[in-house]
Amino acid sequence: MAEKKYFWLKLERDFFRSKAIKRLRKQAGGDTYTIIVMELQLQAIGSNGLIKLEGIESPEEELALELDEEPENVKVVLNYLFRIGWAEILDENTLFFPCAIERTGSETQAAERMRQMRSRNNVTQVCNAVTPALREFSENVTLEKEIEIEKEIEIEDKPAATAATARPSIDYQSILDDYNRTCTRLPKVTKLSDARRKVIAARLKSYTPEELHKIFQMAQDSDFLCGKNNRDWSASFDWLMKDANAAKVLDRQYENKDILRNGGDQNGKGGYYARIFSDPEHNL
């Protein structure tokens, strides 16, 4: 009987502070995207960074079923990983994740037992060797670190508080209500999360509330954005609030007349809108 081998994902200490992850987490739904990144790496670490697909469904649909995630979220993450070089397409049914190779740890079952035994012995020896003076020193160092952290948090919070008092208050709920009243053909938004507050604040730096209302109205009038396309996809509040997508809507790229004018049919098949689904900017 073959001996079991264990694999694990090794994350750098600054993994969540890396630009790639910070940029991803700043997106609406970014925490979900980050979890999917780690799930994909876990899927790949036992097979030299490769994920084999059956090819029955689209890659995002097949992976979404495997990971128990939404296909649209998986598609966003895949497009992002392709762009930053963390994922590659080897062939139509094989994805390669070099980021998983770099973060893979492994050991056999026997090695795991030996490591655990050594770990227990080392812990016992260290605990017996710790003197009262060393314990006191360790406690003092921990206390000093906690004080330093509290000071850093206090310093970071002061500029934020000053900036908040300088800016006029934002009526986040009114933006959400305007979307729900206007976009009756799109999914309704019920929760005003912190992530959505950040996105609304970011868009209001570039658009007035009146311009956001215009974006909502144009989305409501667009058959394509309301689900009449060959993917049964429809826009959402989070999608409309992304800067690139809001600009496209205002540029009239989703008006109904463009479907036929660009060589597609009334269901959005072919022509301009067929290309939109292959555009990474459509998702992130």
Side-chain angles (χ1 to χ4, degrees):
M1 182 177 178
E3 187 177 29
K4 287 184 179 180
K5 192 169 185 179
Y6 298 92
F7 297 89
W8 62 86
L9 188 64
K10 303 183 296 183
L11 298 182
E12 304 88 338
R13 293 187 64 173
D14 62 347
F15 176 79
F16 289 102
R17 296 187 177 217
S18 65
K19 290 183 178 179
I21 295 300
K22 288 170 72 173
R23 190 179 299 117
L24 185 64
R25 294 186 71 190
K26 284 185 178 180
Q27 303 293 326
D31 289 339
T32 298
Y33 298 158
T34 303
I35 291 173
I36 293 174
V37 169
M38 292 189 286
E39 287 180 318
L40 289 171
Q41 291 181 89
L42 286 170
Q43 287 287 321
I45 59 176
S47 54
N48 296 321
L50 301 177
I51 293 182
K52 293 283 188 179
L53 303 173
E54 295 179 0
I56 300 174
E57 304 173 288
S58 65
E60 64 268 20
E61 291 172 335
E62 188 171 331
L63 288 171
L65 183 62
E66 180 70 24
L67 302 177
D68 197 21
E69 299 285 354
E70 292 297 325
E72 188 66 24
N73 291 338
V74 175
K75 184 176 182 181
V76 170
V77 172
L78 285 177
N79 283 335
Y80 182 68
L81 295 181
F82 292 148
R83 288 166 56 192
I84 65 175
W86 284 22
E88 301 172 12
I89 300 175
L90 295 188
D91 56 52
E92 62 181 7
N93 291 324
T94 307
L95 301 178
F96 174 55
F97 294 84
C99 58
I101 293 291
E102 299 165 2
R103 300 188 177 99
T104 299
S106 64
E107 66 180 6
T108 62
Q109 195 171 20
E112 184 203 21
R113 289 195 298 269
M114 184 62 69
R115 176 177 55 79
Q116 291 177 347
M117 183 177 69
R118 286 198 303 266
S119 177
R120 286 194 296 269
N121 292 337
N122 289 339
V123 168
T124 303
Q125 293 170 7
V126 170
C127 289
N128 292 335
V130 173
T131 65
L134 186 56
R135 289 195 186 96
E136 182 179 356
F137 172 76
S138 176
E139 291 170 357
N140 289 339
V141 170
T142 302
L143 180 60
E144 289 175 2
K145 285 184 177 179
E146 290 176 352
I147 293 173
E148 289 176 1
I149 291 171
E150 288 178 358
K151 287 181 178 178
E152 290 177 1
I153 292 173
E154 184 178 347
I155 292 171
E156 289 176 357
D157 286 347
K158 283 181 179 178
T162 304
T165 55
R167 292 195 304 266
S169 60
I170 298 174
D171 191 350
Y172 300 99
Q173 189 62 50
S174 69
I175 301 297
L176 213 61
D177 291 342
D178 184 28
Y179 165 83
N180 284 331
R181 282 194 305 268
T182 306
C183 299
T184 56
R185 301 169 66 194
L186 298 180
K188 187 176 181 180
V189 177
T190 57
K191 184 178 179 181
L192 182 57
S193 63
D194 289 339
R196 284 175 174 148
R197 289 176 187 270
K198 291 178 182 179
V199 172
I200 291 172
R203 293 294 77 77
L204 286 175
K205 292 179 181 178
S206 305
Y207 302 99
T208 64
E210 291 73 21
E211 287 172 324
L212 290 181
H213 174 75
K214 184 177 181 181
I215 291 171
F216 297 154
Q217 187 60 59
M218 294 176 74
Q220 169 73 6
D221 294 338
S222 169
D223 289 341
F224 178 84
L225 293 181
C226 290
K228 291 186 177 180
N229 51 70
N230 63 336
R231 295 293 298 273
D232 292 327
W233 170 88
S234 61
S236 64
F237 176 81
D238 296 330
W239 187 90
L240 289 172
M241 293 303 288
K242 291 181 182 179
D243 191 31
N245 297 337
K248 289 179 182 179
V249 174
L250 279 178
D251 288 343
R252 302 181 182 279
Q253 294 190 21
Y254 296 98
E255 280 192 341
N256 294 335
K257 61 184 179 182
D258 286 341
I259 296 175
L260 297 177
R261 189 176 66 197
N262 288 279
D265 60 22
Q266 66 271 19
N267 294 316
K269 296 181 180 179
Y272 175 80
Y273 289 120
R275 294 193 299 274
I276 284 185
F277 276 116
S278 62
D279 179 6
E281 292 299 325
H282 175 255
N283 298 300
L284 190 61

